[in-house]
């Protein structure tokens, strides 16, 4: 089975961001926190994410 990433439209992204910002328990990562974990993103157990996937997540 091939998994496909679906990129949100700008309107959907804004709605998700607004909902997350209104949730007191959902705090976004700071740039420092994100830089510590983003290198550890992997697909499965061994294969690191490709640059195109990393760019999509930014």
């Amino acid at each position: 089975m091939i998994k496909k990433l679906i990129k949100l439209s700008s309107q959907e992204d804004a709605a998700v961001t607004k909902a997350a910002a209104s949730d007191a328990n959902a705090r976004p990562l700071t740039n420092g926190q994100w830089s510590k974990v983003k290198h550890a993103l992997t697909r499965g157990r061994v294969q690191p994410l490709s640059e195109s996937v990393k760019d999509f997540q930014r």
Side-chain angles (χ1 to χ4, degrees):
M1 182 172 138
I2 297 175
K3 294 183 180 180
K4 184 177 178 181
L5 293 175
I6 300 171
K7 191 169 184 175
L8 298 176
S9 70
S10 58
Q11 294 168 336
E12 292 170 325
D13 184 50
V16 170
T17 303
K18 182 179 178 181
S22 68
D23 183 356
N25 294 321
R27 291 176 286 161
L29 294 176
T30 64
N31 289 338
Q33 292 169 321
W34 178 241
S35 66
K36 288 180 183 178
V37 297
K38 76 176 178 182
H39 71 279
L41 291 176
T42 58
R43 181 180 338 150
R45 294 178 181 243
V46 189
Q47 187 178 13
L49 292 174
S50 68
E51 288 300 314
S52 62
V53 174
K54 288 180 184 176
D55 290 342
F56 175 81
Q57 293 179 344
R58 289 183 189 154

